[in-house]
Amino acid sequence: MRMAAAVLGVTCLLATGCAEVSSASRPPEAGMASAATARSCPTVVAGTLAGVAGRIYAQAAGGRNVLSATRRLQRSGALVAAVASGEPAATRRALSPLLEHQIRRIVIRRGPRVLARAGHGAALAPVTGVLRDRAGRDVGDYTLSVADDAAVVGITRALTGADVTAVAGGHVVARAAGGSGGAPARVVVVRGRAFPRGPLSVRIGLPAGALRSCSGCAADVRADTIGAVGQRLLTGEASGPDARRVVRYVAADPGVRRAVAGDDPAGLRMAIVRLFGVRALHVVRIRATTADGSLVNDVGGPYALAPISGPVRGPDGRRTGQVVVSVQDDAGYIKLAHRFTGAQVVLRGAGGVIPGSTLSAVGAGPLPARATMSVDGRRYRVRSFAGRAFPDGPLWISLLVPA
């Protein structure tokens, strides 16, 4: 989906190019360009963060969750048959197992008649489609959303660090404060659609600290901004509200508590596998130790990051051990960082480049924290920072922003 606000920074980036000139040999024109770049820095930062917000909305409007949800609906013979019959009760029964904690709101119609509704609360980025029988005849249509306003506003705030507000029908439908306090220094707007119809705007109020004047070319300012977004994404996976909720849930699970208290590896594995089936948790790896630090069991994928730990307690409140969980694996982080920023993402652990990285021809060693480099004939601004692999290993994350 084309987002007008997402291209806010493009004009600035084209007009304020990057002249790589040393200070000793800088001509007067380069000095003038440097001053202009400093003044334009707020515009570059605002445009880059608006682009991130536009990408977040675009995922809600046409990302993989949308494709998965629409595919389930269109391939469900039971749903198509129920809609073709015009029976509301049968339509609701056929629809229920297709929601899968993914579809937030949906309306199914046969002609002007509504056969089924599911979900409640403010949602956005509605998607419409047609249900067809095996002969290719249209039997009904649907309007669905895979994202609610609060979720989109929350992740936009988490990645931009800004105050974010969603407005539909002249009313605020979701808001998340960035924590800076005071009035924003600049507001950028991403425009979309509310569910089931009507305009919606996501307003990003940028604090003065994010818009300070800076040196360097516009491409470097943009890379710095995207690097900060990548770090915020990692911080959210390691210590955000979802991660804290998951570790509390796992530590309080009766099966986990019994297995840790009894130092029972098989029992813990059974409890962990059961927890993996709880869709609302989105946990990818769980490890538990006893009070003296002895490993009970460790179950999950080989590549997980951003571990968060919590105490396991017995019925009397006494600490009996500890759980370490991860709500994100390396592949998931790479996909999110790439989709939300457009940067190439390379993760390197103790064994080298981690599978799933969007670039592999990046050399044998870790990429610099800050550099300009060419990969496969294309130039990138590199911004790298440290993270943690599960349960406590080295991790080096590099975002390569096309120069």
Side-chain angles (χ1 to χ4, degrees):
M1 181 173 182
R2 292 181 176 87
M3 303 300 298
V7 298
L8 183 63
V10 173
T11 302
C12 175
L13 293 177
L14 294 175
T16 317
C18 186
E20 298 180 14
V21 181
S22 68
S23 58
S25 59
R26 181 184 299 158
E29 293 82 359
M32 293 171 63
S34 178
T37 301
R39 289 193 297 272
S40 70
C41 178
T43 302
V44 177
V45 173
T48 303
L49 293 180
V52 170
R55 284 174 172 270
I56 292 170
Y57 181 90
Q59 284 297 310
R64 294 192 177 186
N65 283 350
V66 173
L67 297 177
S68 174
T70 56
R71 190 180 295 118
R72 287 199 306 276
L73 296 179
Q74 292 165 353
R75 292 180 178 178
S76 173
L79 179 64
V80 170
V83 174
S85 71
E87 293 292 335
T91 301
R92 289 193 295 270
R93 286 195 301 270
L95 174 63
S96 181
L98 304 176
L99 301 177
E100 291 191 0
H101 298 280
Q102 190 180 60
I103 298 175
R104 303 299 183 184
R105 294 280 301 274
I106 185 169
V107 177
I108 296 181
R109 298 179 179 85
R110 178 169 173 79
R113 184 185 178 199
V114 174
L115 296 181
R117 299 178 188 269
H120 56 83
L124 46 70
V127 177
T128 60
V130 175
L131 296 171
R132 295 185 174 91
D133 63 17
R134 292 184 178 180
R137 296 184 294 262
D138 294 357
V139 300
D141 61 77
Y142 59 84
T143 302
L144 67 82
S145 174
V146 300
D148 57 48
D149 294 8
V152 169
V153 164
I155 193 169
T156 304
R157 184 213 61 78
L159 297 192
T160 63
D163 297 331
V164 182
T165 305
V167 178
H171 302 285
V172 173
V173 291
R175 172 176 286 161
S180 60
R186 182 176 296 198
V187 176
V188 293
V189 179
V190 171
R191 302 195 183 279
R193 303 290 293 176
F195 184 95
R197 66 183 64 86
L200 174 136
S201 61
V202 180
R203 301 177 181 177
I204 301 101
L206 302 170
L211 302 171
R212 61 185 181 277
S213 295
C214 48
S215 60
C217 68
D220 277 331
V221 174
R222 180 169 178 267
D224 289 342
T225 304
I226 288 178
V229 169
Q231 288 182 293
R232 292 189 190 104
L233 176 60
L234 181 68
T235 299
E237 305 289 17
S239 59
D242 282 346
R244 297 194 302 270
R245 175 182 61 85
V246 169
V247 75
R248 288 194 300 267
Y249 189 102
V250 171
D253 179 80
V256 170
R257 293 171 67 184
R258 284 194 301 268
V260 171
D263 195 5
D264 178 6
L268 181 61
R269 179 177 180 81
M270 289 179 60
I272 292 173
V273 171
R274 176 175 47 78
L275 289 169
F276 285 160
V278 180
R279 292 181 181 274
L281 287 185
H282 193 271
V283 60
V284 299
R285 189 165 172 180
I286 301 174
R287 172 189 178 96
T289 55
T290 61
D292 64 3
S294 300
L295 177 65
V296 180
N297 213 331
D298 185 339
V299 183
Y303 298 108
L305 49 68
I308 179 172
S309 61
V312 179
R313 301 188 184 278
D316 59 357
R318 182 175 58 87
R319 185 178 179 276
T320 59
Q322 177 177 272
V323 292
V324 182
V325 308
S326 177
V327 300
Q328 189 61 277
D329 58 18
D330 299 58
Y333 176 89
I334 290 166
K335 290 174 183 176
L336 290 177
H338 178 65
R339 291 172 189 167
F340 292 155
T341 70
Q344 303 298 330
V345 186
V346 177
L347 269 59
R348 186 181 293 273
V353 174
I354 290 172
S357 296
T358 58
L359 290 176
S360 57
V362 291
L367 297 179
R370 184 183 178 92
T372 300
M373 64 183 297
S374 294
V375 180
D376 292 333
R378 189 168 187 182
R379 289 179 67 77
Y380 296 93
R381 259 38 177 209
V382 180
R383 297 296 182 266
S384 303
F385 49 91
R388 273 204 305 156
F390 191 99
D392 194 23
L395 183 67
W396 191 242
I397 299 171
S398 299
L399 273 62
L400 289 81
V401 183

